[in-house]
Amino acid sequence: MAADLFHLKLPGDRRRAAVAVRKAAIAGDIAGALSADRARCADLVKLAAQATSLGVWFNAAEAIRAGIPADEAREAVMSAAANKKGDYND
């Protein structure tokens, strides 16, 4: 069982060194997650422009805040555009 560094009775300098090692160990994971989320946000902003050109409302800011995946949002926009096109054919 891994020890929790925040509950170990270590001198201040050793505790800071241990925390720094843990931060360094997860830095790549954090950078990867941030990069993936930035790409998701960029995709959602592009999707908002595409939705507008299709005559469909899409709120990119709300989708970003809600953590909606770009593929899910794209599917919703395309479905709304298809339904809107179907309304004109009726």
Side-chain angles (χ1 to χ4, degrees), residues 16-84:
R16 284 187 293 279
V19 169
V21 167
R22 285 182 79 175
K23 284 182 180 179
I26 63 171
D29 293 335
I30 291 170
L34 287 172
S35 178
D37 198 52
R38 286 183 186 116
R40 179 186 71 86
C41 293
D43 287 346
L44 291 171
V45 170
K46 287 181 208 172
L47 182 59
Q50 292 169 346
T52 299
S53 71
L54 294 169
V56 175
W57 171 250
F58 176 71
N59 187 334
E62 184 55 36
I64 290 168
R65 273 193 290 281
I68 295 172
D71 289 341
E72 184 180 313
R74 190 173 296 107
E75 186 176 316
V77 166
M78 293 304 162
S79 178
N83 287 339
K84 184 174 181 156

